[in-house]
Amino acid sequence: MEKSNVIHIALGVNNKYFPYAGVLMTSILLNSFKEHIVFHVAFSEKPSKINKEKKDKFNLIYNNANIIIYDLSEQIDKLPNLSIYTSKRFDKSILLRILLPDVIDKDIKKLLYLDADILCIGNIKELWQIDIENFILGACPYKKKHGPEQIKRLGLNTNLYFNSGVLLINMEKWRVKNITDIIIDCYNKFYEFFLLPDQDAINVVLQNNIYCLPYKFNRMTAPNDPTLDLCEKGDILIHFVNEAKPWIDGNTIKFDKMYKLYVSQSLWNDIEFIIPDSVELMILAGRNYEEKKDYKKATYYYGTTAQKLMKYYLDREKL
């Protein structure tokens, strides 16, 4: 098959996140079954034996897709660690999207980068075919509620702030302009001030050089919050942002059913759903299990929430 007919998709993970990337890759193939897709998966640490075995099995099963693994642990180690604030929310693997364009085959002209906390529910070809010839990359901006505060914080000379979870990259322009080196230099200088490390650096360096993608290619939501349980007709990529993830127990009926369907059809159908540990996530889990009429689990989460709050206030009384 001609290289021009191949869709190239990149992901950056650590060993813990590779199974979630596996579910995403499966969802892409199930919704784009006629396409030939190469997944370029970069690791921020040495890939584990079990993850390499899963990769090999994946490549044997799918005729129209394969996974190529890149060990970028040495490159990641050379970058400064995340700041004290950001290290509580992120893993250093988020910086892999900056490095990937420089390690992938130079013949590849376009690359689609996706975060592992995304689910594909439509044909990815629609996004792949968007023309970004005059831009370095395409991305979806934050909506009016969150964008202006980020623009002001960074002092950007633009009216848009973009999410870095979905990036359609013009590889030729990226390489010619040495974007990886420029973004890394920006990160090295200002990482202690960036609240969203890679994303802030990309927005600072590429402001006014980013093509604005429609929101259906990066529908940002939370899987456990019924007030944000929103998708629109025609959405292609659902992005589960912030602390709530679809592999954490206690999601809304819609997203719980949706995510578990793709998990069950993947090689990673043995994923164990994580018990939420924060008060906010447990309250939402209790509420969602109550709606599902699973009152045993709803009681468990409400009760555990009460215990956590009681401990918090008792500890405060001791101060």
Side-chain angles (χ1 to χ4, degrees), residues 37 78-79 134 141 315:
I37 301 174
K78 291 177 182 178
L79 296 175
N134 296 322
D315 288 344

Side-chain angles (χ1 to χ4, degrees), residues 89-90 97 113-115 117-118 137-143 146-147 150 160-168 196 198-200 202-203 210-213 215 217-221 238-242 245:
R89 295 186 57 197
F90 304 108
R97 79 196 75 205
Y113 175 87
L114 300 176
D115 276 349
D117 55 357
I118 288 175
L137 59 80
C140 289
Y142 277 70
K143 293 189 175 181
H146 301 293
Q150 309 299 342
L160 294 174
Y161 177 83
F162 292 87
N163 180 271
S164 63
V166 177
L167 301 174
L168 188 60
L196 302 160
D198 62 301
Q199 188 168 281
D200 283 353
I202 288 171
N203 275 274
I210 301 176
Y211 177 87
C212 188
L213 295 174
Y215 287 111
F217 298 121
N218 189 354
R219 184 68 63 188
M220 290 171 263
T221 188
I238 308 297
H239 188 185
F240 303 106
V241 296
N242 300 329
K245 301 299 177 189

Side-chain angles (χ1 to χ4, degrees), residues 149-316:
E149 60 190 67
Q150 309 299 342
I151 293 167
K152 182 179 179 181
R153 174 173 61 83
L154 295 172
L156 300 179
N157 296 314
T158 178
N159 60 352
L160 294 174
Y161 177 83
F162 292 87
N163 180 271
S164 63
V166 177
L167 301 174
L168 188 60
I169 304 171
N170 183 331
M171 296 285 275
E172 291 180 301
K173 281 188 177 294
W174 182 288
R175 292 184 183 116
V176 167
K177 295 181 179 294
N178 296 313
I179 299 301
T180 292
D181 291 341
I182 296 170
I183 292 178
I184 287 175
D185 183 60
C186 177
Y187 173 76
N188 286 339
K189 289 177 179 176
F190 303 111
Y191 73 96
E192 291 182 326
F193 305 99
F194 286 159
L195 301 182
L196 302 160
D198 62 301
Q199 188 168 281
D200 283 353
I202 288 171
N203 275 274
V204 168
V205 171
L206 296 179
Q207 54 185 305
N208 299 312
N209 284 292
I210 301 176
Y211 177 87
C212 188
L213 295 174
Y215 287 111
K216 66 180 179 180
F217 298 121
N218 189 354
R219 184 68 63 188
M220 290 171 263
T221 188
N224 64 347
D225 189 341
T227 66
L228 297 174
D229 184 6
L230 302 172
C231 294
E232 295 186 13
K233 186 177 180 180
D235 281 348
I236 304 296
L237 296 171
I238 308 297
H239 188 185
F240 303 106
V241 296
N242 300 329
E243 289 77 13
K245 301 299 177 189
W247 52 82
I248 296 178
D249 190 40
N251 295 314
T252 64
I253 293 174
K254 180 174 72 176
F255 281 134
D256 186 56
K257 183 179 180 180
M258 182 188 295
Y259 194 70
K260 285 180 178 176
L261 175 64
Y262 287 110
V263 169
S264 69
Q265 297 179 85
S266 77
L267 290 175
W268 294 267
N269 54 20
D270 56 350
I271 285 177
E272 293 186 9
F273 283 73
I274 300 170
I275 301 298
D277 58 0
S278 73
V279 168
E280 180 183 4
L281 295 182
M282 285 190 292
I283 289 175
L284 286 168
R287 182 259 173 219
N288 291 328
Y289 271 114
E290 185 178 1
E291 185 178 343
K292 296 171 190 174
K293 295 184 169 42
D294 188 337
Y295 299 116
K296 184 177 180 180
K297 279 208 167 184
T299 301
Y300 166 77
Y301 281 119
Y302 285 143
T304 306
T305 300
Q307 290 175 349
K308 272 187 170 285
L309 289 172
M310 181 69 74
K311 184 178 184 305
Y312 171 76
Y313 285 110
L314 286 175
D315 288 344
R316 285 190 64 181

Side-chain angles (χ1 to χ4, degrees), residues 123-152:
N123 195 329
I124 204 71
K125 188 176 182 179
E126 186 178 346
L127 170 55
W128 179 254
Q129 290 181 324
I130 290 177
D131 182 5
I132 57 166
E133 185 178 354
N134 296 322
F135 296 85
I136 294 173
L137 59 80
C140 289
Y142 277 70
K143 293 189 175 181
K144 291 181 180 180
K145 182 179 179 181
H146 301 293
E149 60 190 67
Q150 309 299 342
I151 293 167
K152 182 179 179 181

